[in-house]
Amino acid sequence: QKYGYTHLSAGDLLRDERKRPGSQYGELIENYIKEGEIVPVEITISLLKRAMDQTMAANSQKNKFLIDGFPRNEDNLQGWSKTMDGKADVSFVLFFDCDNEICIGRCLERGKSSGRSDDNRESLEKRIHTYLQSTKPIIDLYERMGKVRKVDASKSVDEVFEKVVQIFDKEG
C-alpha cells in the first residue's frame, strides 16, 4: 500500500476460482494444485488480467501491481509475454530464497489451520521438484536481465520485511 501497488496472488486467484460456484475451471485447478503442478497458463493469465482490469476500472491511478507467484515456468512467461506485451512491464522480480526444509516446515505448520489441500509433505515435495525444474530457470533468466531482487527468506518475519522495505524504498 505504501508504494501504490495492488497485490495480486496468482495462487489466491486460482483458489478463489476453484471455489467459485459454476466455475468451468474449478475441478481442473483443484487437480493441478493437489498434484503440486502448475495450472495451465491461459487460466492463470485470464484470472490475473481480469483482476488487473477490474482494479484499474475502479481506479485508473491503481496501475502498479505486485504479482505474487507468477510466472512459475517457461509456459507462464511466454503466455505473459504474448498476452501482456506492451500492456505491462516487469520492473523487477522479488525472489524470496529459502531452504527447502524450512519451507516445508512452515507450510506444514500453516497446514494445521489453512485448509489448503497442498499443505502436506507429499504435495510440498512435488512442489519443490516442480520449482527446481520449472521456476528456478525463470528466476535465473530474470537474474541475467538484472531484474531479480533477492531476499533471504529463512530469516525472521521482521528481518525479511525489513529487507523488502529496503528494496521497495530503492525501487519505488
Side-chain angles (χ1 to χ4, degrees):
Q1 288 177 332
K2 176 181 174 182
Y3 302 96
Y5 286 84
T6 298
H7 175 253
L8 297 176
S9 164
D12 286 350
L13 290 170
L14 288 165
R15 283 184 289 278
D16 289 347
E17 182 66 18
R18 176 184 63 185
K19 289 185 244 169
R20 190 174 64 80
S23 169
Q24 61 181 341
Y25 302 122
E27 192 174 326
L28 181 76
I29 291 169
E30 172 62 22
N31 290 335
Y32 275 93
I33 289 174
K34 197 164 34 181
E35 289 303 313
E37 294 177 3
I38 295 169
V39 173
V41 65
E42 297 81 12
I43 295 171
T44 308
I45 286 184
S46 71
L47 296 175
L48 284 168
K49 188 172 183 324
R50 181 173 72 193
M52 292 168 82
D53 289 345
Q54 287 171 345
T55 300
M56 290 185 294
N59 181 347
S60 62
Q61 300 300 308
K62 293 186 116 340
N63 61 1
K64 289 169 56 174
F65 297 90
L66 174 64
I67 300 177
D68 176 354
F70 190 86
R72 293 270 174 117
N73 62 14
E74 181 66 30
D75 191 40
N76 280 184
L77 184 60
Q78 295 302 326
W80 176 263
S81 297
K82 189 170 96 178
T83 305
M84 303 303 280
D85 193 38
K87 297 176 187 152
D89 295 320
V90 176
S91 300
F92 64 96
V93 173
L94 187 59
F95 174 44
F96 292 93
D97 193 15
C98 192
D99 174 80
N100 291 345
E101 281 307 312
I102 291 173
C103 281
I104 289 172
R106 288 176 176 172
C107 289
L108 290 174
E109 187 61 34
R110 176 182 69 189
K112 292 176 181 175
S113 60
S114 72
R116 286 180 51 164
S117 61
D118 58 341
D119 278 346
N120 62 74
R121 183 164 285 278
E122 184 181 356
S123 290
L124 293 166
E125 287 175 358
K126 287 177 184 177
R127 288 176 65 190
I128 288 170
H129 178 76
T130 300
Y131 162 77
L132 292 171
Q133 256 191 328
S134 303
T135 307
K136 185 71 170 94
I138 301 305
I139 295 165
D140 294 343
L141 173 71
Y142 278 110
E143 181 89 63
R144 289 191 296 277
M145 295 165 57
K147 291 193 172 201
V148 172
R149 309 298 178 263
K150 191 181 287 192
V151 175
D152 180 357
S154 65
K155 306 236 184 243
S156 72
V157 171
D158 290 340
E159 290 171 298
V160 170
F161 183 72
E162 184 179 317
K163 179 66 175 170
V164 170
V165 167
Q166 290 170 10
I167 290 168
F168 274 91
D169 280 348
K170 185 177 177 189
E171 299 292 337

